[in-house]
Amino acid sequence: MAKDNVDLICDISELAGLFERSHSLADFLQSAVSIVAYHMRAAVCSIYLYDEQTEELTLAATQGLKPESVGNVKLKLGEGIVGTAMKDLQPICEGHGSANPNFKRIEGIFEENYEAFLAVPILLRGVMRVGVLVTQDPQPDYFHINDIKALRAIASQLAVVIENAKLLMSLHEARKQTTPAAAPEHSPAMVSFLKGTTASSGVVQGTAVILDGHGYDVLTVAADDETSPYTLEDFNLALQESEEQLTELQRHMEERLGDVASLIFNAHLLILKDMGFSGAMRKLIDQGTPADRAVSSVVNDYISLFAKSSNPRLREKVLDVKDLGHRLLRNLQQHGEDHGDYAGQIIIARELLPSDVLKFAAQSVEGLIIVQGSVTSHISILARSLRVPMVFVEKPEILDIDEGTVILIDANQGTVFLDPSEKILRQYEPLIHKEEDAPPEVFPETFTRDGTKITIHCNVNLLSDMEFARQNLAEGVGLYRSEFPFIVRDEFPSEEAQKLIYEKIFAGLPDKEVTLRTLDVGGDKKLPYHQHLEEANPFLGLRAIRFSLKNLPIFKQQLRAMLRAGHEKNLRIMIPFISSVDDFLAAKDVLEACKKELADEGVPFNPSPAMGPMIELPAAVEIIDELAQESDFLCIGTNDLIQYLLAVDRTNESVSSLYVCHHPAVLRAVYRIINAAINNDVDVSVCGDMALNTEMLKFLIGIGLRKISVDPQHIPRIQSFIRELHTEEARQHARKLLRFGTLREVNRFLSERSD
Ligand code: PEP
Ligand code: MG
């Protein structure tokens, strides 16, 4: 029988669903091995779990080997094929397992008949040993490269579930020895108004939830609940409702944000199902404690244990437990109404992980205030795509205010009010409860007053942006920042997972041009599971194409996914951070190699995608003619071009006043690029934020630019500006701006125009 399609195996939701239906980790692992064995048409599938302390692997689940061997077969790190795969962090695929020098026959587990052997390490964040996934089959040479890829994809998903389950187990251990922590004391509010920087706009009001990394608040139940009527029956119902809600939330997130949010509520579900958690609550209720008190008591017990743990991954779970406590209490008090754990609340944090931003957004948080950070960082981009207002502030004192303090964020202005007066609240009332405006009229094409066509494409960060792209009639995707699925997940997304994401982008705007940018990591965008080099200047280091060329398997996997998703589509592949023609040619060579591989494998793909560099480094401007001659298109990344041309860190608030898009050097550089593109008859666009500033957009159109790419929500505003613009007026404007040699003159000119 033929093996199943790899896509099926890589389907993350299958694994998530499997987890939801399981009653314990052992149960889950057993179901997982059955499913993998079935899809792979393999006689045997087993999972070994690794114990860091003893450096030993134990057989934890098997389909095909003797069931009694579970828990009894143990291998040291480096012992046998399984131990070697774990030690070297590399898959081992053997046509004849017994021929491998590391092969170790274990008697009595019925593995004699299985010659073909495939062992894939289960790794968290690419390096942390979790276990080994093994398939075996009697037919020699049974497993191939695609099977390795499929098992790797599954192993990375398994890693997350297993890690969370292990954390829970270690918690049970810790539980035996510790006592609950006292609630931290908060000093009174120190400030009432803060000026910060907008990361994601909007006006919202809510009560403060502080995540400061120092201490953790306990869950409280109102004092007048002393005679709480809630019974064991109520509790059981609340538990069931909580599980259903979380399962639904997980499903919804996967539907909406499947590109980045895999198994995001996994830890919540796991704790909820853990007998140590709900069982302890039941026990207290049985002993006469009212149900809500029982919930808060056990939750607080867990919070204090998590908070005290020396394991940072366990400390991260404090929030999850607290979320769960709130959810259970809410369901006890008002059965089944899910308003979201953070509805009506504003989170104030020292820093947040991208996955936290996703989780909070999914749980209806009103807004976010972050003490450190910068507007162009990836959590800002995420917050914008998720439409969650977010402000960065420089004052850490805000972390000392009392939980529950009323906060008003005017993220349009970057302002935060702490405990605002009635007057301020009244002033902001219309903005906070603003009715959804009727969607502005948008047109499928954009022309200036004199009939010149300006093509408006959109920038996409998350798949959810495609909804706006469609609504606002984007004419194509001018920039897909492919790094987001890489940054937010716990593992490198597999070729199949990437292909699925890229296919969804094509499907979002059928028949339109789609520009997929290859991985732009490095700089401030670190992959949590990859061992990035320690770099003194990461923005001048192994970023974007430099990272891809140094990590060819990752680069090839991505290009293959793009080529496959782009089959019979209008695909453009864009290479970020090009500083030389040589790097661009090297990237082209890798693309050619991928095409050849796919052709040899007989896999359908796009044989002739357009390929172009991002022009975002001063070096690229100096060699722009040569680059244009090698390229199908050029795309100007003004966000970085400004940073590198002016030597101003785009993520450093303290020099943000020097980061100006209308600096004469920037204007002249952009002019040179567009001129070179026109002279070499090469398509050119701008995908940086410079095109969002209407004075600059006028300049760009004035120097001959006819294509831009902007965040989709800005399309209506930009379109209506262009419809009012005459190209001759834009030309005059550009000519004047290009004459100025100082910023002072440019500033004066622009401010006179706005008077
Ligand atoms: C740019 O540099 O202008 C750009 C669009 O890319 P990013 O903001 O992702 O660096
Ligand atoms: Mg850039």
Side-chain angles (χ1 to χ4, degrees), residues 517 520 543 614 616 637 639-640 650:
R517 178 173 78 180
D520 184 0
R543 186 183 159 183
M614 273 193 92
E616 51 187 349
N639 301 347
D640 276 313
R650 67 191 255 196

Side-chain angles (χ1 to χ4, degrees), residues 553-599:
I554 297 169
F555 191 31
K556 284 178 83 174
Q557 215 176 43
Q558 180 170 44
L559 289 174
R560 284 170 56 99
M562 288 179 173
L563 287 167
R564 290 173 61 197
H567 176 55
E568 296 184 341
K569 297 280 189 293
N570 193 347
L571 165 67
R572 308 204 312 174
I573 296 179
M574 179 150 80
I575 311 294
F577 215 63
I578 287 293
S579 61
S580 66
V581 178
D582 311 71
D583 273 0
F584 186 60
L585 292 180
K588 272 181 145 182
D589 287 345
V590 180
L591 186 77
E592 287 309 313
C594 291
K595 285 189 207 168
K596 181 161 183 323
E597 272 177 26
L598 291 170

Side-chain angles (χ1 to χ4, degrees), residues 76-96:
K76 284 275 172 207
L77 192 62
E79 188 181 358
I81 295 182
V82 174
T84 308
M86 182 85 301
K87 178 162 175 267
D88 299 345
L89 309 178
Q90 287 297 337
I92 298 177
C93 184
E94 285 293 353
H96 292 266

Side-chain angles (χ1 to χ4, degrees), residues 319-374:
L319 265 183
D320 296 344
V321 180
K322 205 171 164 192
D323 287 356
L324 268 182
H326 282 299
R327 185 174 289 280
L328 279 168
L329 285 182
R330 245 195 344 265
N331 282 328
L332 261 182
Q333 288 152 5
Q334 45 195 347
H335 281 298
E337 280 179 50
D338 186 8
H339 300 299
D341 282 315
Y342 290 94
Q345 297 186 325
I346 284 173
I347 287 177
I348 305 174
R350 197 173 287 278
E351 55 183 339
L352 283 184
L353 297 171
S355 52
D356 294 330
V357 176
L358 277 179
K359 232 184 274 182
F360 295 137
Q363 294 175 96
S364 319
V365 74
E366 303 292 339
L368 302 168
I369 300 171
I370 314 291
V371 172
Q372 285 165 353
S374 62

